[in-house]
Amino acid sequence: MADSRMRSEDQVSKIVKCCNEYKVPIVPYGGATSIEGHTLSPQGGVCIDMTLMKRVKSLHVEDMDVVVEPGIGWIELNEYLEPYGLFFPLDPGPGATIGGMCATRCSGSLAVRYGTMRDNVINLKAVLANGDIVKTGSRARKSAAGYDLTRLMIGSEGTLGVITEVTLRLQKIPQYSVVAMCNFPTIKDAADVAIATMFSGIQVSRVELLDEVQVKAINIANGRNLPEVPTLMFEFVGTEAYSREQTLIVQKIATERNGSNFIFAEDPEAKKELWQIRKEALWACFAMEPSSEAMISVSPLGRFT
């Protein structure tokens, strides 16, 4: 496979036009963090490497949006935004880039509060199969004009075009947060608490479920001694008083529905350690079954040719 490291939208357009003329397949390449075979190229072709296109083109603090190139990672973007008190709320795997996140319609553990990628992209630019460059909309938050091409492109996985610019919706960094964990005798009990929490009107920032097998894997991989039962993890954000109030309300909800060992953390390092459990879940499974391999779900979509 030939390799082409892009530095500009114009370069991408010229490469795509050439490939279109000679019917050469194209595979856009970002952070390579996907575990579902997105960058496989069974027919050969040209790999368009977007990792050098990683500039922040413009930041509009008052409007809470930012225009970026597709090669910038979400972690690097949030490091850039932190001094302004803003952040981009999607958190897939470390190393993921904004272009790939758009192409795969990623989500992450914050989706319960902020939505998925399609809810956080205002507009984008892309190079179509014939090399034409299109922009899918303006920076206006409210518009009913024309087709919703932005959401058509998001999740298209390289089959409709190569994304070259993205305008993202930003959020204010929360003043305070609390991370909590609670055990349950059954999956149904845990699910009932998650549902009751949402119905209570509490806007949780994160809620994640680990079953007993997953917790066992985490214990084996990290030498922990967590109760090997279904476990819910929560994050609450807001002011300090509001975050603590939410925590106590959910603790009451959980206790009324067979929850036990409700613990919560407010110290930054303790919170990070708790969420690390969830972030390393897949790799913990390998520790439990070292002779086995993971079979990841493969997208039915083809590649951009």
Side-chain angles (χ1 to χ4, degrees):
M1 177 183 287
D3 177 65
S4 185
R5 292 168 64 85
M6 298 295 101
R7 290 175 173 80
S8 71
E9 185 176 75
D10 184 58
Q11 281 186 320
V12 176
S13 178
K14 289 177 179 177
I15 289 289
V16 172
K17 283 179 180 177
C18 183
C19 290
N20 180 54
E21 181 180 352
Y22 294 99
K23 307 303 178 187
V24 177
I26 295 169
V27 179
Y29 178 94
T33 59
S34 167
I35 52 176
E36 296 187 359
H38 291 105
T39 55
L40 295 178
S41 181
Q43 305 301 321
V46 173
C47 171
I48 299 186
D49 187 340
M50 309 298 289
T51 55
L52 293 183
M53 291 180 62
K54 54 185 179 181
R55 291 183 301 143
V56 175
K57 300 182 80 171
S58 60
L59 171 63
H60 311 102
V61 176
E62 295 82 1
D63 295 328
M64 296 177 67
D65 67 51
V66 65
V67 182
V68 299
E69 291 183 325
I72 190 169
W74 67 272
I75 293 178
E76 290 74 25
L77 176 59
N78 279 336
E79 288 173 354
Y80 173 87
L81 295 171
E82 187 176 8
Y84 301 95
L86 300 171
F87 81 115
F88 181 63
L90 273 69
D91 60 340
T97 59
I98 296 298
M101 290 163 66
C102 289
T104 58
R105 197 173 61 239
C106 83
S107 53
S109 61
L110 288 167
V112 67
R113 183 180 180 92
Y114 299 106
T116 66
M117 198 67 184
R118 69 181 227 163
D119 303 301
N120 290 278
V121 175
I122 298 173
N123 67 60
L124 54 80
K125 292 177 73 175
V127 176
L128 302 182
N130 62 355
D132 287 351
I133 299 170
V134 298
K135 186 169 184 177
T136 61
S138 70
R139 284 179 49 236
R141 297 298 181 102
K142 225 177 140 179
S143 175
Y147 295 110
D148 191 350
L149 297 179
T150 303
R151 281 160 185 77
L152 179 65
M153 292 295 300
I154 294 172
S156 61
E157 302 192 2
T159 60
L160 299 180
V162 182
I163 296 169
T164 55
E165 180 185 290
V166 187
T167 303
L168 301 169
R169 180 177 286 110
L170 305 177
Q171 301 291 335
K172 187 79 175 68
I173 295 175
Q175 288 182 26
Y176 200 80
S177 67
V178 177
V179 174
M181 179 185 289
C182 187
N183 304 137
F184 297 90
T186 67
I187 292 288
K188 184 180 186 306
D189 289 321
D192 286 345
V193 167
I195 293 168
T197 298
M198 303 303 288
F199 268 87
S200 73
I202 290 176
Q203 290 187 314
V204 293
S205 177
R206 291 181 169 108
V207 57
E208 297 277 324
L209 171 65
L210 306 173
D211 67 11
E212 63 275 14
V213 179
Q214 183 64 73
V215 177
K216 180 179 180 180
I218 290 165
N219 283 338
I220 293 172
N222 300 307
R224 295 179 180 270
N225 192 31
L226 300 171
E228 294 176 1
V229 294
T231 301
L232 276 182
M233 300 183 68
F234 295 94
E235 182 181 60
F236 311 100
V237 299
T239 64
E240 183 174 346
Y242 183 60
S243 299
R244 287 176 174 170
E245 180 187 19
Q246 291 179 98
T247 304
L248 295 176
I249 292 173
V250 173
Q251 183 177 21
K252 183 174 183 294
I253 292 172
T255 302
E256 292 171 348
R257 292 166 175 79
N258 302 319
S260 61
N261 298 325
F262 190 97
I263 61 171
F264 60 91
E266 300 177 74
D267 176 74
E269 284 304 314
K271 291 186 292 186
K272 183 178 179 181
E273 184 179 352
L274 280 179
W275 275 115
Q276 198 67 20
I277 293 172
R278 170 63 185 86
K279 287 289 186 182
E280 296 176 353
L282 174 62
W283 316 115
C285 292
F286 292 138
M288 186 170 69
E289 295 288 344
S291 62
S292 300
E293 295 183 2
M295 182 173 289
I296 308 300
S297 62
V298 178
S299 168
L301 292 180
R303 303 269 43 88
F304 178 34
T305 57

